[in-house]
Amino acid sequence: MAADAFDGPVPAATGPGQRVLDLLNKAIDLQSPLVRKNITRARQRNPEATPAQVIRNLERMYVSALTGTGAAVGGAAAAPGVGTGVALALSAGEALSSLELSALFALSIAEVHGIPIDELERRRTIVMGIMLGGSGSATIGKVAERTGQHWGRQVAAKVPAETLRQINKLLGRHFITKYGTKQGIIVIGRVAPFGIGALIGGGANAVLASLAVQASRRAFGPAPTSWPTLIDNAPPPSEESHR
């Protein structure tokens, strides 16, 4: 089992914990329709780019966006005249933005691998599994009773809906413990004075993004050598589509 897998009981999804999951569900709902546009954006500079090249672009875009969001909030929190209450409110809004960026990244990578995820439960498994890293993959493998690499492909093709619901219940509890705790530490850091908040906010988000990138590579494995039909038949990238 992965080193960061959770052992023992996990908290029930109630109160603040449930609000974290509600934010996650909202982020997935908002970002799911934007997956194709995100991939098109990653292909914009080079329409002939291979799936591997586009995945690298998606990774860079994600790390850059998440790092910038954290630094911006941390910098604003440290500005003269910004009270702790305002800083905490800024961080609360940024939590949804971080979840949206992470959901968009995870679902975009799945799409490039030719794995369309139409059901909400499968989307939730993919997003939480990638954000939780090793503990997420360990939970998925244990509940689904499947071993081996590249669990993202198994979730999309082989895991029954009822099993997915069981997986997501456990992942949700782990998500509250791991993500909620990290966010709490980051929020406290962002309200630090003298610009320290910007360094903590950006640096912490950069670490979270890098861990998610590594988890996505483990989840799906090497990039496909050719574009899946669902993307290959889509309209070519254009400047107009991003204005």
Side-chain angles (χ1 to χ4, degrees):
M1 181 174 289
D4 59 345
F6 289 90
D7 295 317
V10 289
T14 58
Q18 184 57 49
R19 287 196 289 274
V20 171
L21 293 182
D22 289 342
L23 281 176
L24 175 66
N25 290 333
K26 181 178 181 180
I28 293 173
D29 288 341
L30 289 172
Q31 297 304 311
S32 292
L34 303 179
V35 167
R36 297 285 181 87
K37 290 183 179 180
N38 194 41
I39 295 171
T40 297
R41 181 185 173 203
R43 298 179 71 184
Q44 186 175 358
R45 291 185 178 180
N46 180 14
E48 303 302 320
T50 65
Q53 290 172 325
V54 169
I55 285 175
R56 295 295 177 267
N57 285 340
L58 289 169
E59 292 173 349
R60 285 193 291 268
M61 288 162 52
Y62 171 58
V63 173
S64 175
L66 198 61
T67 302
T69 299
V73 172
V82 176
T84 300
V86 174
L88 292 174
L90 288 170
S91 291
E94 191 268 332
L96 176 59
S97 298
S98 297
L99 290 174
E100 288 182 6
L101 288 170
S102 298
L104 182 61
F105 168 72
L107 297 176
S108 297
I109 297 296
E111 190 93 352
V112 173
H113 278 272
I115 305 173
I117 308 172
D118 298 325
E119 299 106 325
L120 175 60
E121 290 296 335
R122 294 187 197 279
R123 291 197 297 268
R124 294 181 73 228
T125 304
I126 291 292
V127 173
M128 285 193 291
I130 286 177
M131 292 189 71
L132 288 171
S135 62
S137 61
T139 298
I140 293 167
K142 182 177 180 179
V143 178
E145 298 182 345
R146 297 178 186 277
T147 58
Q149 296 180 322
H150 316 327
W151 60 262
R153 298 180 182 276
Q154 297 180 21
V155 164
K158 300 177 182 179
V159 179
E162 180 57 36
T163 303
L164 282 175
R165 283 189 284 271
Q166 297 175 29
I167 289 172
N168 286 342
K169 186 175 181 179
L170 288 174
L171 288 180
R173 295 173 180 175
H174 295 335
F175 189 83
I176 291 168
T177 300
K178 187 172 183 178
Y179 185 82
T181 300
K182 283 185 177 180
Q183 283 299 112
I185 294 171
I186 294 169
V187 166
I188 292 171
R190 284 177 186 145
V191 303
F194 309 120
I196 296 174
L199 295 175
I200 295 176
N205 275 13
V207 171
L208 292 175
S210 297
L211 291 174
V213 166
Q214 295 172 21
S216 71
R217 294 174 181 174
R218 292 193 300 267
F220 297 107
T225 56
S226 61
W227 284 101
T229 303
L230 72 162
I231 296 178
D232 200 37
N233 289 339
S238 67
E239 294 289 342
E240 287 296 325
S241 63
H242 301 282
R243 291 179 181 173

